[in-house]
Amino acid sequence: MSKRLSITLLTAPAMIILLGVFLIPMLLMLLLSFQDENEAFSVQNYALFVQDPFYVQILWRTIRVSLWTVLATLVLGYPVAMYMAQATGKMRGIVTMLILAPHLISVVIRNFGWVVVLGEKGWINESLIALGIIEQPLRLLYNELGVVIGLTDSFIAYMVLAIATSMYAIDPSLNKAASILGASRVRTFFSVTLPLSLPGIIAGTTLVFSLSMSAFVTPALMGGTSVKVMPVIAYEQIMATLNWPLGAALAFLLLGSTIVLVTLYTKLIETKRYKEVFAS
Amino acid sequence: MKKINVLGLITFVVLLLVNLPFLVIIPSSFTAAGYLAFPPEGFSWQWYTMILDRPEFIDSLWTSLKLAAITAVLATFLGTLAAFALSKYKFRGSGVLNALMLSPLTVPSLIIGISALLFFTRLGIAGTFTGLLLAHILISIPYVVRLVLTGLSSFDYTLEKAGYMLGAHPFRVFWDITLPLLRPAIVSGMIFSFLTSFDNVTVSLFLVAPDTTTLPLAIFTYMQETLDPLVASISSVVILLSLVFIILLEKVYGLERLFGLNSQSH
C-alpha cells in the first residue's frame, strides 16, 4: 500500500466527522449570521451590537464576570500550585487527584451542590442565622456573585495545573541560592518564584478567561434569570426566539471579543516583559 | 516550615470547596423530609425509589449510557487511526491536519452546538440520536488523538520492524506488538470519551428532542423548575457512575498526565 493511500485511509474517517459536524456547519453558521429576515446579505445582526446598549451591557457583564473568575481562581489556585510544587510525590498525587477528579463530574451536578449550599435556605445562610451573625439571609445566588462562585469552582483546576506546571520547572537550587545570599522568604518569592511562574500565570489566566466567557450552564443555573450573559442570550435567540441569524451573530461576537481581549492581554504582557529586560 | 503550613491550609480549604458539592449532595439525597435540606433530616431511601417513578430520568439515563458507550468506541477508533497516520508518516500538511484534529477543543461548545443544529436541521437529523452521536464523536476525537499521539511519541517502531523481519503478517504485528504497547493510551482515550459524552450539556442542549434527552440535560431542565431531593438522589447516581470511570482512568493512565493534555471542557 502506498504511503499516500495509507494516510488517506487512516485520516479520512475522522476528517469526514470534522468536515461534516464542525467545519461545514461553522461556515454555514457564519454565513447565516450575515443574513436579514429575507435571507439577504446584511450586517444588521452585528450592527445591532453597536446600536443597542442592551447587548453592549450584556457583553460587559460577561467580561466582568469572567475577570472576577480569573481573579478568584488565581488567588485561590496560586497557593495550591505552590503547595503542590513543594509537596512530596505522594502528597502531590493526592492533591492532584482531589482537585482534578471533581472536574470529570458533570458541571450541572456541581452547580446543584452549590445551589444547596448557597441558597436562601441553604447551609451557609441557615448556619449564619443560627449563629446569630445575620438576621436576613445573604443573597449568594442568582446574582453575579453566584455565577462567579460557580465558574471559579468549574475552572480552578485549569489555573492550578497551569501554574503548577511552570513551578515544577523551577530549579529548587535557585531558592537555596537566594536564601544563601540573604534574601528573605518574601523577597525570594517576589524575585524568584513569582517571575519564573509567570508563564503559568499567563497560560492559566488566558485559559480561564476564555472558558468563563463562553460558559453557559453555570450562568444559566446559578445566575438565574437576572444575570444573563452572552452565551445565555445567544441560546435564547436560537432556541426560544428562533432568530437564528441573530443567535449565530451573538455567538461569533462573543468568540471575536474573547480572541481580541486575550490577544491584547498577551501582547501587553509581552511588551512589558521586553521593556523590563531592556531596562535592566 | 511555617510557610508550608499556610500553603497547606489554603490548599486544604480549596480542596474542600472544590469537593463541597459532592459532600452536600450525597447526604442530602437520603433526607426523610419532603424538601432539600442540609444537613439532611432523618434517613430514608425514598428519593431513590422515587427515581424509578420518573420515566424521564430512567429513559435519559439509558440514552446517556448508550450514547456515551457508542461515542467512546467510535471516537476512539477514528481518533486512533488518525493519530497513527500523523505519527507514523511525515508528510506535507501533517501540521495542519494535526491542528485540525484538535481544533474542536479551541472553539466554544456553544458554537459547536449552534452550528451543528443549523446544519443538522438541513440534513433532517436535528433532534435524532444520530445527530447527537455525531456531535459527541466530534468533541471526543481531539482527546483521543492527543492521547494516542502522546502514546505513539514514545513508541519504538523498531519493534514493528523486528516483527516484519521475523515474517509476521502486518495485521499480526499490529495486534501482537503495536496494540498492546499502546493499550493504556487507547483505553484512557476510550474512558475519557465516555466521560466527555456522559457529562456534556452545552452541545447536547441544541441537539436533543424530548425523546433523546440525555441525563445531565434532564437534570438541568428539572433543576430550572424544581429543586427537591430528587435532584440529589439522581445526581448521586451520576456521581457514583462517574467515580467508577474516574478511578479506572487514574489506574490506567493517571489523571495528572491526562490533564496535561487537556485544555478545554465546556
Side-chain angles (χ1 to χ4, degrees), chain B residues 4-6 9 30 42 49 69 84 114 138 158-159 169 173 186 200 203 226 238 243 246 252 262:
Chain B
I4 291 187
N5 286 339
V6 174
L9 189 70
F30 292 107
T49 47
F84 261 104
I114 296 175
L138 174 84
T158 50
L159 290 172
H169 186 267
V173 169
I186 294 175
N200 187 280
V203 173
T226 336
V238 180
L243 263 183
I246 292 168
V252 178
N262 184 0

Side-chain angles (χ1 to χ4, degrees), chain A residues 3 7 10 13 20 22 25-26 83 86 97-98 102 104 106 108-109 114 116 155 158 161 207 211 216 238 244, chain B residues 4 11 17 19 21 24-25 78 81 90-91 103 111 115 118-119 199 201 205 238 255 259 263-266:
Chain A
K3 181 179 143 189
I7 296 171
L10 288 171
F22 183 60
M26 281 249 286
Y83 179 77
Q86 291 172 1
M97 179 77 187
L98 282 175
L104 292 168
S106 189
V108 173
I109 289 169
W114 281 108
V116 176
F155 301 135
Y158 292 109
L161 226 60
L207 190 58
L211 290 171
F216 169 81
I238 297 280
W244 288 6
Chain B
I4 291 187
T11 305
L17 287 176
N19 289 285
V24 169
I25 291 172
L78 300 185
L81 289 185
K90 292 284 152 271
F91 54 97
S103 58
I111 291 189
S115 63
L118 302 182
F119 191 53
D199 282 354
V201 181
L205 194 67
V238 180
L255 283 185
F259 269 82
S263 73
Q264 206 192 340
S265 68
H266 34 89

Side-chain angles (χ1 to χ4, degrees), chain A residues 3 6-7 9-11 13-15 17-18 20-26 28-29 32 76 79-80 82-84 86 92 95-117 123 142 153-156 158 161 168 185 189 207 211 214-217 220-221 230-231 234-235 238-239 244 247-248 251-252 254-255, chain B residues 1 3-4 7-8 10-11 14-15 17-22 24-25 36 38-39 78 81-82 84-85 89-91 97 100-101 103-104 107-108 110-112 114-122 134-135 137-138 141 192 195 199 201-202 205-206 216 219-220 223-224 227-228 231-232 235 238-239 242 246 249-250 255-256 259-260 262-266:
Chain A
K3 181 179 143 189
S6 307
I7 296 171
L9 283 178
L10 288 171
T11 53
M15 274 314 290
I17 298 276
L18 274 167
V21 191
F22 183 60
L23 298 173
I24 296 173
M26 281 249 286
L28 189 78
M29 182 176 160
L32 192 77
L76 290 172
V80 178
M82 228 167 129
Y83 179 77
M84 283 165 72
Q86 291 172 1
R92 188 190 281 183
V95 175
T96 312
M97 179 77 187
L98 282 175
I99 204 137
L100 293 186
H103 200 86
L104 292 168
I105 293 173
S106 189
V107 62
V108 173
I109 289 169
R110 274 180 291 144
N111 284 342
F112 168 65
W114 281 108
V115 171
V116 176
V117 173
W123 183 38
Y142 307 124
D153 173 47
S154 299
F155 301 135
I156 192 166
Y158 292 109
L161 226 60
Y168 294 162
R185 282 237 160 88
F189 174 77
L207 190 58
L211 290 171
S214 62
F216 169 81
V217 177
L221 288 178
M230 286 288 276
Y235 169 79
I238 297 280
M239 301 302 272
W244 288 6
F252 279 122
L254 174 68
L255 181 63
Chain B
M1 217 43 227
K3 192 174 148 199
I4 291 187
L7 287 179
I10 299 174
T11 305
V14 170
L15 291 182
L17 287 176
V18 171
N19 289 285
L20 189 63
F22 316 117
V24 169
I25 291 172
L36 260 177
F38 186 85
L78 300 185
L81 289 185
F84 261 104
Y89 305 104
K90 292 284 152 271
F91 54 97
L97 200 64
L100 212 58
M101 291 287 169
S103 58
V107 174
L110 183 77
I111 291 189
I112 294 181
I114 296 175
S115 63
L117 170 70
L118 302 182
F119 191 53
F120 287 176
T121 306
R122 295 204 174 183
L134 286 171
I137 293 175
L138 174 84
I141 283 180
F192 204 81
L195 280 171
D199 282 354
V201 181
T202 314
L205 194 67
F206 294 95
I219 301 176
F220 177 82
M223 245 187 93
Q224 283 183 312
L227 281 171
D228 61 17
V231 191
S235 296
V238 180
I239 294 170
S242 306
I246 292 168
L249 212 48
E250 168 70 12
L255 283 185
E256 189 175 4
F259 269 82
N262 184 0
S263 73
Q264 206 192 340
S265 68
H266 34 89

Side-chain angles (χ1 to χ4, degrees), chain A residues 2 11 31 54 72 84 96 100 113 119-120 126 134 141 157 181 198 216 223 230 235:
Chain A
S2 79
T11 53
L31 291 176
F54 173 75
M84 283 165 72
T96 312
L100 293 186
E120 260 182 31
E126 296 271 280
I134 50 168
L141 207 61
L181 290 168
L198 205 60
F216 169 81
M230 286 288 276
Y235 169 79

